[in-house]
Amino acid sequence: MLVVNDIANALDDRKHCAALFVDLSKAFDTVDHAILLSKLSSIGVGTDACRWFYDYLKDRTQAVMVDGVKSDSLQLLKGVPQGSIIGPLLFSLYINNIGDDVRYCKFHLYADDTVMYSIAPTADQALMQLESDFRTLQGSLLQLKLVLNAKKTNVMFFSRSKLSVRNTFVITSLDGTQIKQVSAYKYLGVWLDDRLSFKKHVTELGKKLKFKIGFLYRNRACLSFVNRKQIVQATFMSVLDYGDIIYMHASANTLKPLDAIYHCALRFITGDSYKTHHCILYQHVGWASLSVRREQHALLFIYKALLLKLPPYISSLISTRYTNFKTRSQMWITLETPAVSTELGRTAFSSFAPYLWNKL
C-alpha cells in the first residue's frame, strides 16, 4: 500500500520514480550464525538468551530421501530453519538495518522481499540516485554474507511521460551483471506495472480464479448449497479479496472480467442458470457486488488506521481535520483531503481514504 501510494503521489506531482526489486539467492540459508548472534546481542538480547540461540542453530543436519533411499547427512554451518515460527523473525533481525546507509531511496523490507525506489524531478536524477544506493546496498549485502541474485533482480521506471525510457539506461551489479528492466513485477502477491493500471494483475488473477472455478464445477454434484458457499468463501473469495483495495481504482474495463468470474462463482453456489441476473445472485447468496466489497474493505482498513491498529507508516498517511467552528458534523471524525491534480493522484491511499471516509 505504501509503495503504491508513494509512486502515485510522485506521478501526480509530475515527478519520476525508478524502483528496484531486489532478489536474494537462498536468503534464509545463507544467514551467518556469528553475525546473527552479534546482532541479537547488539539489540539487547542477553548472554544466556544468545547462548540458547547458539545451541538452537548449531549441530543441524539435512538429508534428501528419494524412493526410500536416504542420502548421507550434511552438517549446516549457516542459515536459519525454514518452516519454523522463529526463522522469519531471526532473518528479519539479521537484515533489519541493511538500508541504514541508503541516502536517496525509500527502502522497504518484508522478509527477503526488498524494494527500493527513488523519486526525483527528472528521470535521469531518479535513475542516478537509484544506481548510487544500489551500490551501497550491495556493499551491505557483502558485509552480511548475503548473495544478490542479479538475474532475478528487476528495475522498473514509473512516469507520466508518454516518452518511454525503457532500454535507454543500464544498471549493473557489482559483478557486472546487467539488471533487467521490466514493465510489470509481482511484489508481495500484487502485479505492479509501470503505469499503475493493474491490468497485468487482473489478468493473472483472472487466470487463477478460472482454474479454481473450473475445478469446483467439476465436483459440484456431491456438494450442498452450504458446502458450496463455504468452499467458495475459503478458496475463491480469499484469493479475490487479497490486495483488492490496492487495485480497486483500476479502470472499469480492467476490473470487468473479475465481475464475470465472480458471477460464475455465485452461480456455482446457487445452481442458477447462466441468464440469471447478477442482482438476483447477490440476493440468493447474501453477498454484495465486488465494487461494494472493495469499498467495505477499504473503509475497514481506514478505520483500523484511525485506531492505530495498522503500522505507523500507514496511519501517518491520513490526518484528522480540526476546526474551531461549531458545526453539526463536529461530532464526527473527518479527515483532511489533500489536493491532487490527476486521476492517478486520487488513487493514492492518502487521497482516496479521506474521500471515502468523509463520504461515509
Side-chain angles (χ1 to χ4, degrees), residues 134 138 148 150 171-179:
F134 182 41
Q138 291 178 87
L148 174 75
I171 293 181
T172 59
S173 62
L174 293 180
D175 63 2
T177 303
Q178 182 175 334
I179 304 302

Side-chain angles (χ1 to χ4, degrees), residues 186 204-220 223 228 230-242 261-262 264-266 268-269:
K186 189 177 183 180
E204 295 300 322
L205 179 60
K207 292 178 182 178
K208 182 184 295 186
L209 293 175
K210 286 179 180 178
F211 177 81
K212 287 181 176 291
I213 201 65
F215 174 81
L216 293 177
Y217 264 99
R218 290 190 294 271
N219 297 274
R220 63 174 297 180
L223 301 170
R228 292 196 295 267
Q230 290 174 336
I231 291 174
V232 170
Q233 178 69 59
T235 65
F236 186 91
M237 298 308 299
S238 58
V239 176
L240 185 56
D241 290 340
Y242 177 78
I261 300 172
Y262 177 52
C264 188
L266 296 182
F268 162 79
I269 297 174

Side-chain angles (χ1 to χ4, degrees), residues 1-9 106-108 117 119 187 246 301 312-317 348-349:
M1 176 62 75
L2 180 60
V3 175
V4 174
N5 181 84
D6 289 345
I7 296 173
N9 281 331
K106 294 189 176 183
F107 193 88
H108 301 295
Y117 50 97
I119 296 172
Y187 177 64
I246 296 177
F301 192 80
Y313 61 81
I314 294 293
S315 298
S316 64
L317 297 177
F349 178 76

Side-chain angles (χ1 to χ4, degrees), residues 165-182:
V165 297
R166 195 171 301 155
N167 300 325
T168 60
F169 69 96
V170 175
I171 293 181
T172 59
S173 62
L174 293 180
D175 63 2
T177 303
Q178 182 175 334
I179 304 302
K180 182 181 178 181
Q181 185 179 1
V182 295

Side-chain angles (χ1 to χ4, degrees), residues 70-254:
K70 184 179 179 181
S71 68
D72 294 334
S73 295
L74 178 67
Q75 186 176 5
L76 297 178
L77 302 177
K78 55 185 177 180
V80 293
Q82 297 192 47
S84 64
I85 295 176
I86 203 171
L89 176 60
L90 291 175
F91 181 79
S92 296
L93 293 173
Y94 187 75
I95 65 170
N96 188 49
N97 61 347
I98 199 173
D100 287 355
D101 295 329
V102 169
R103 296 177 56 193
Y104 307 107
C105 294
K106 294 189 176 183
F107 193 88
H108 301 295
L109 293 168
Y110 187 85
D112 58 339
D113 287 303
T114 303
V115 60
M116 55 190 301
Y117 50 97
S118 170
I119 296 172
T122 66
D124 290 340
Q125 184 178 351
L127 295 170
M128 285 190 296
Q129 291 178 171
L130 181 66
E131 188 172 20
S132 174
D133 280 345
F134 182 41
R135 288 196 297 268
T136 301
L137 175 66
Q138 291 178 87
S140 300
L141 292 176
L142 290 175
Q143 291 179 2
L144 293 177
K145 299 183 180 180
L146 295 174
V147 181
L148 174 75
N149 190 341
K151 293 183 178 179
K152 291 187 177 180
T153 296
N154 294 299
V155 64
M156 192 187 311
F157 187 80
F158 300 87
S159 176
R160 286 175 55 193
S161 174
K162 295 182 180 180
L163 298 176
S164 175
V165 297
R166 195 171 301 155
N167 300 325
T168 60
F169 69 96
V170 175
I171 293 181
T172 59
S173 62
L174 293 180
D175 63 2
T177 303
Q178 182 175 334
I179 304 302
K180 182 181 178 181
Q181 185 179 1
V182 295
S183 59
Y185 184 84
K186 189 177 183 180
Y187 177 64
L188 299 180
V190 177
W191 282 94
L192 301 179
D193 59 85
D194 54 10
R195 299 292 180 181
L196 292 185
S197 68
F198 295 101
K199 290 181 179 179
K200 174 72 171 179
H201 179 75
V202 172
T203 300
E204 295 300 322
L205 179 60
K207 292 178 182 178
K208 182 184 295 186
L209 293 175
K210 286 179 180 178
F211 177 81
K212 287 181 176 291
I213 201 65
F215 174 81
L216 293 177
Y217 264 99
R218 290 190 294 271
N219 297 274
R220 63 174 297 180
C222 58
L223 301 170
S224 66
F225 174 88
V226 174
N227 295 147
R228 292 196 295 267
K229 185 174 180 179
Q230 290 174 336
I231 291 174
V232 170
Q233 178 69 59
T235 65
F236 186 91
M237 298 308 299
S238 58
V239 176
L240 185 56
D241 290 340
Y242 177 78
D244 58 352
I245 64 174
I246 296 177
Y247 66 83
M248 64 182 291
H249 296 288
S251 68
N253 287 335
T254 298

